[in-house]
Amino acid sequence: MINNVPGKDPTLIVGGGPAGVSCAWKLATFSIPCILIDKASFPRDKVCGGALSERAAEILITSGILSNNELEDLTLKEHRTLSLWNRDELLRTYISQDAPVRIISRRKFDSVLLDKAASAGAFIVTGDTVVSVDSSSVTTSSGKNYPCSNLVGADGCNSLVRRFIAGKRSKGTGMGLEYLIPLTDLNEIPEGLQIHFGYIPYGYIWVFPDSEKVNIGAGAVGSPASPSNITEALNGFLEARGISCDKYQLQGAPIPSRELDRNLGKGNIYLAGDAAGLVDHVSGEGIGHAVQSGFLVADCILSGGNRGTVLNKKDCCISIVRQSMFYRHLLFSPITHGTAIMGLRDNEEFARGYWNIISGKESYNEMFRRLLT
Ligand SMILES: Cc1cc2nc3c(=O)[nH]c(=O)nc-3n(C[C@H](O)[C@H](O)[C@H](O)COP(=O)(O)OP(=O)(O)OC[C@H]3O[C@@H](n4cnc5c(N)ncnc54)[C@H](O)[C@@H]3O)c2cc1C
């Protein structure tokens, strides 16, 4: 039930990634006037491994923003096999009997979701950058001024809206870097997903193949490693496998690692996705959390700004990211890292637990409770 009567000004959403479009789609579905502004012209690329967890797929489908068939069409490859490595040692290959982790193209995925929001009735403006915001309006680089009743910052890791609320630039960000390599350039095509520990503190190297290419990247959240350390580790990894980095373009993007905004903003200003710091600190997953937080922000607006009731859900993205900020130390801290690596190697249940985390099948608390019993 919609409790509030929105003011005559629309809700203004900055950013048309998964967080912004989910919010716009839901508001428009409930006939709440909204305008979404993105600086990019779509389709646009986004540096991302493109791994979509089971939890993310479920949120997309149960919300109704995508049908099963539409998600199938967007899926480049399904994976149920995960190999875990510690530098050159293969720790374990885990094969899941459950739903797959999907690889999607962010160019296509984001564009399809943006069309969904437009079809639902959201007014979409692309190719115009929001350059200044306050609680009642935003101004864009084309000189337009949009008055708004609610403002939603879904503008990614370097969020302008978050900076407006915090009054300063955020302190720390993580970093993700990747190469896209055609399968035809490889001597051996990787089977399933690979995660390689031991190269970057508080991070890992990933190998995510789809039907045409493999995304090989490295990332870390809240790590002492600098972008140049991560690049060096990634290039060394590729060269050791006979892949010449010079042939491919290195792409990078920041990953939020600052304090999570558990209230998703304040007053009539909301934050969703990377702008709210909603990235898993162990896996780096952010797409599913962006989508879910976009819906949560829409729910807050629909409930007349009642954050308390909407955001206090135990298993929602806010709770999962909070748990990841704690449990990452068990996996990555120099004190416990060796034990965690041994666990992944020697105990099938640990590997299943890791799969359940990246697929979103279990929360961290559920997984640890299960492992302890
Ligand atoms: C290298 C790397 C690999 C990753 N791999 C994965 C993965 O495999 N799986 C996973 O789940 N997550 C992954 N992530 C995280 C994931 O990409 C993000 O968490 C997710 O994109 C967040 O969605 P969002 O909508 O919050 O922000 P974004 O997708 O960043 O969208 C923000 C939008 O805001 C727009 N914008 C920004 N500023 C302005 C402005 N001033 N005016 C107008 N528009 C603006 C941008 O153009 C953009 O379209 C990865 C991240 C990185 C960096």
Side-chain angles (χ1 to χ4, degrees), residues 107-144:
R107 187 177 174 81
K108 202 164 165 204
F109 178 81
D110 288 21
S111 189
V112 166
L113 289 187
L114 192 74
D115 288 347
K116 288 279 179 176
S119 311
F123 187 78
I124 310 287
V125 178
T126 55
D128 204 1
T129 304
V130 172
V131 289
S132 76
V133 302
D134 63 43
S135 57
S136 58
S137 71
V138 309
T139 307
T140 64
S141 53
S142 68
K144 293 204 178 77

Side-chain angles (χ1 to χ4, degrees), residues 204-234:
Y204 62 85
I205 289 178
W206 66 82
V207 178
F208 292 173
D210 65 38
S211 48
E212 288 176 2
K213 61 184 181 314
V214 57
N215 181 320
I216 304 186
V221 180
S223 165
S226 65
S228 62
N229 296 147
I230 301 175
T231 308
E232 204 180 309
L234 181 59

Side-chain angles (χ1 to χ4, degrees), residues 14-19 37-39 44 46-51 106 128-130 154-156 176 178 206 208 253-255 273-274 279 284-287 290:
V14 188
I37 306 179
D38 199 292
K39 63 184 176 186
R44 60 108 175 85
K46 159 81 178 84
V47 179
C48 181
R106 285 294 301 271
D128 204 1
T129 304
V130 172
D155 45 348
E178 66 189 27
W206 66 82
F208 292 173
I255 304 175
D274 278 11
V279 163
E285 177 190 0
I287 303 171

